[in-house]
Amino acid sequence: MKSKKQLKEELHQLIDSIDDEQVLQTLNEDLVPYVAKKDAALLTAQQQQELEEAIAAADKGETVSFDEFKASMDKWRTAYKSTGASK
């Protein structure tokens, strides 16, 4: 039986040998949820609930565009700087 280190090394070599971008995209799509699920286990119950609520809101289309987000952040930064809180 191969050790965890040996398996990782083999997987790295296999991935490094793949030139097909679609295959790499598929591997990425399969691995990201696994890692995200593992990381989600580290969240508190409240954080998990907030994450689930955010995902549900996004699924309903309750989102803002990146441009809207940037404008909101610029407005916040301007207000923050004008209070002298940044000093």
Side-chain angles (χ1 to χ4, degrees):
M1 179 174 221
K2 296 177 185 178
S3 70
K4 181 168 69 171
K5 182 180 178 182
Q6 289 171 319
L7 288 170
K8 285 183 176 186
E9 287 172 359
E10 278 187 26
L11 287 170
H12 283 274
Q13 289 172 358
L14 286 170
I15 291 170
D16 288 342
S17 73
I18 297 171
D19 288 328
D20 186 324
E21 187 174 343
Q22 184 60 44
V23 172
L24 292 169
Q25 290 291 344
T26 301
L27 284 170
N28 186 57
E29 290 169 8
D30 289 342
L31 289 173
V32 169
Y34 168 78
V35 174
K37 185 177 180 181
K38 186 175 128 184
D39 290 345
L42 302 174
L43 300 176
T44 66
Q46 181 178 349
Q47 290 170 325
Q48 287 178 352
Q49 181 177 348
E50 290 172 1
L51 179 59
E52 289 170 12
E53 290 170 3
I55 292 169
D59 288 345
K60 293 181 211 169
E62 299 170 358
T63 60
V64 297
S65 71
F66 184 64
D67 288 336
E68 291 171 315
F69 169 75
K70 287 191 317 187
S72 175
M73 290 304 296
D74 289 342
K75 187 176 178 181
W76 176 83
R77 283 188 191 107
T78 301
Y80 183 75
K81 286 179 182 177
S82 69
T83 65
S86 62
K87 295 179 183 178

